[in-house]
Amino acid sequence: MRLGGRLRHIGRACAGLLAGGLSSSAFAEMRYNFPEPASAGARDIYDIHMLTMRITFVLLLIVYAVICYSLFVHRKSRGAVPDQKFHLGTFGRWAWVMVPVLVLGVDLSIAGSAEKVLHSLWLVPKDKDMLEIKVVGHQWWWEFEYLDQKLTVESRALPPEKAGDLYLRDVDNRLVLPTNTKIRFLHTSADVNHAFWVPELGMKKDAIAGYVTETWATIDREGVFRGQCAELCGTWHARMPIVVEAVSNDRFNTWLAEQHKVAEAAAAEASADKVWSKDDLMERGRNAYNKNCAACHQLDGKGLPPAFPPIVAGLPFPAAPALTKPLEERGFLKDGKVVMGTVASHLDIILHGIAGTAMQPWGQLNNLDVAAITTYERNAWGNDTGDVVQPADVEKARAAQASAAAH
């Protein structure tokens, strides 16, 4: 086949692919694209993305057509001679101006649409009836507080044996939200910078310690939408997936009622009046420790020096004075090794954290969980202090702290 015939064959093939590629059904089959939007903001972003891709595709075709035409028509075998004075002609002179102007015009046409979308996302409505969700990033889990419902949900990544194929994409507790309801998200962090990002909702917002930022969305369809912390926040950054479950208003109200019952049952179980055996506290403490503390201090209590100290008595803790000094002041560090201080100091660290370090306050845990964790830490891994801390002890510690703060 001669070169001309081959080019015509290639041209007909490209035309066929183009016709098929531009059909709506073919677009629907494309799998390598943004996820299907679930809010108006995400849909606007998606539309701008598709507009940009279509413009880019058309420009690409034009440029390649000109290149292919020039390669074929102006090839040396046909006697073509390079135009050494191209830049002196009218087209040669003005092409250097017109081409950038055309490109800039295309860019501005896209930027104009993008600016309107950004304004709609940045300007959070001030409606009084909006559902407000406080999103707090932790190393390395998420806390979602339903401000009007006095309900808090902790969300952590599932281990591989439970998540299966969705490892690093699934969590133990989802963020359940109603559809067709304006939702205001208030973002902050308890330690380092994180970022809340769920593509289907069209939002990505930094969660910064000491600051509160806000975004909003109205989810217009039910479904499960998966996101991820989008700020490199530490060694377990990848273990901060976000799973949003959007449900109807009726299902959302049912879910709220169930969660309140669970919270009431947990509060009754954690009553300060009940005395627990050491074995029960150790079993409950192991689960609570693995869930809340193991990310920093490890399942074996050996920590991640020099950032996170070991809890195992006797292990060295080589770290900067900013980290070791608070432990020394509370009787937890002697001769460079971590030892167990008093029960009162131990409770104080768990409930109120250590200012200036990554140790955050865990006052949101109920009395039973704090008592169980303290008992477990003081008796696991060979610590063997024999101390048993009851919920009543935690209640007294909270009351003493509240009294000291009042004075």
Side-chain angles (χ1 to χ4, degrees):
M1 183 182 294
R2 299 182 60 182
L3 179 59
R6 291 177 179 174
L7 289 177
R8 284 194 293 275
H9 179 72
I10 294 173
R12 285 194 294 271
C14 292
L17 289 174
L18 179 60
L22 291 177
S23 68
S24 57
S25 59
F27 272 119
E29 292 297 326
M30 289 183 177
R31 302 179 63 180
Y32 299 100
N33 203 344
F34 287 178
E36 183 183 354
S39 71
R43 192 159 289 104
D44 290 340
I45 294 174
Y46 185 86
D47 291 342
I48 290 177
H49 160 72
M50 293 307 298
L51 171 65
T52 305
M53 290 299 101
R54 290 188 181 103
I55 292 174
T56 304
F57 185 65
V58 171
L59 292 177
L60 190 69
L61 286 179
I62 294 173
V63 170
Y64 269 87
V66 171
I67 292 175
C68 292
Y69 173 80
S70 298
L71 287 174
F72 176 70
V73 175
H74 302 298
R75 65 185 189 274
K76 185 177 180 180
S77 61
R78 295 189 63 181
V81 178
D83 184 0
Q84 300 293 340
K85 297 183 179 180
F86 171 80
H87 60 290
L88 299 178
T90 302
F91 182 77
R93 291 175 186 272
W94 287 100
W96 304 108
V97 177
M98 296 306 297
V99 171
V101 168
L102 291 174
V103 172
L104 183 60
V106 172
D107 289 344
L108 290 177
S109 65
I110 298 173
S113 302
E115 184 185 18
K116 294 178 183 177
V117 175
L118 287 176
H119 272 288
S120 68
L121 294 175
W122 286 343
L123 299 178
V124 179
K126 301 302 179 185
D127 302 10
K128 293 183 179 179
D129 58 347
M130 291 180 74
L131 175 66
E132 290 189 321
I133 306 293
K134 182 180 177 182
V135 179
V136 184
H138 297 264
Q139 286 182 317
W140 288 270
W141 53 284
W142 293 99
E143 177 185 351
F144 305 116
E145 184 177 353
Y146 297 73
L147 295 179
D148 297 330
Q149 304 295 330
K150 298 181 179 178
L151 177 67
T152 300
V153 173
E154 296 181 2
S155 182
R156 293 175 172 81
L158 287 175
E161 58 273 18
K162 292 184 177 179
D165 293 339
L166 289 175
Y167 179 52
L168 301 181
R169 296 282 288 161
D170 207 356
V171 297
D172 54 356
N173 297 308
R174 295 174 173 179
L175 172 60
V176 180
L177 297 173
T179 57
N180 301 314
T181 301
K182 287 184 179 179
I183 305 169
R184 179 186 291 116
F185 297 90
L186 303 172
H187 306 270
T188 189
S189 170
D191 35 59
V192 301
N193 289 353
H194 303 276
F196 183 86
W197 177 41
V198 181
E200 285 92 339
L201 304 189
M203 66 166 67
K204 182 170 82 71
K205 197 71 173 182
D206 284 350
I208 306 170
Y211 292 86
V212 176
T213 55
E214 61 180 1
T215 51
W216 74 286
T218 299
I219 304 174
D220 52 22
R221 67 182 176 89
E222 295 188 50
V224 176
F225 314 119
R226 301 181 189 277
Q228 175 67 39
C229 174
E231 189 76 42
L232 185 57
C233 56
T235 54
W236 281 18
H237 158 70
R239 301 185 189 183
M240 290 189 68
I242 304 164
V243 181
V244 174
E245 182 175 358
V247 299
S248 66
N249 275 276
D250 290 341
R251 289 179 59 193
F252 179 70
N253 291 330
T254 301
W255 177 83
L256 280 179
E258 293 173 351
Q259 294 303 308
H260 281 303
K261 289 181 180 178
V262 172
E264 291 172 1
E269 187 182 31
S271 169
D273 299 332
K274 184 176 179 179
V275 177
W276 293 71
S277 69
K278 181 181 178 182
D279 290 341
D280 289 341
L281 287 171
M282 287 293 287
E283 179 62 29
R284 190 180 184 96
R286 180 187 297 106
N287 296 330
Y289 173 89
N290 292 345
K291 177 181 178 182
N292 298 294
C293 313
C296 298
H297 298 290
Q298 306 300 292
L299 292 173
D300 56 7
K302 294 181 180 178
L304 291 170
F308 303 105
I311 302 177
V312 180
L315 285 186
F317 181 44
L323 293 178
T324 57
K325 187 177 179 180
L327 290 172
E328 290 176 347
E329 293 173 348
R330 300 186 187 190
F332 278 80
L333 197 74
K334 294 179 181 177
D335 301 326
K337 297 180 179 179
V338 176
V339 298
M340 304 307 296
T342 65
V343 171
S345 295
H346 200 156
L347 285 174
D348 183 54
I349 288 177
I350 294 178
L351 291 173
H352 307 109
I354 301 178
T357 72
M359 180 61 197
Q360 60 183 289
W362 286 93
Q364 75 274 22
L365 295 178
N366 63 41
N367 291 341
L368 176 56
D369 282 340
V370 175
I373 290 174
T374 309
T375 301
Y376 178 70
E377 289 181 347
R378 299 184 72 81
N379 293 282
W381 317 301
N383 289 340
D384 298 331
T385 65
D387 295 326
V388 177
V389 181
Q390 297 291 340
D393 299 323
V394 182
E395 183 64 28
K396 289 179 182 177
R398 292 187 198 269
Q401 179 64 25
S403 176
H407 291 83

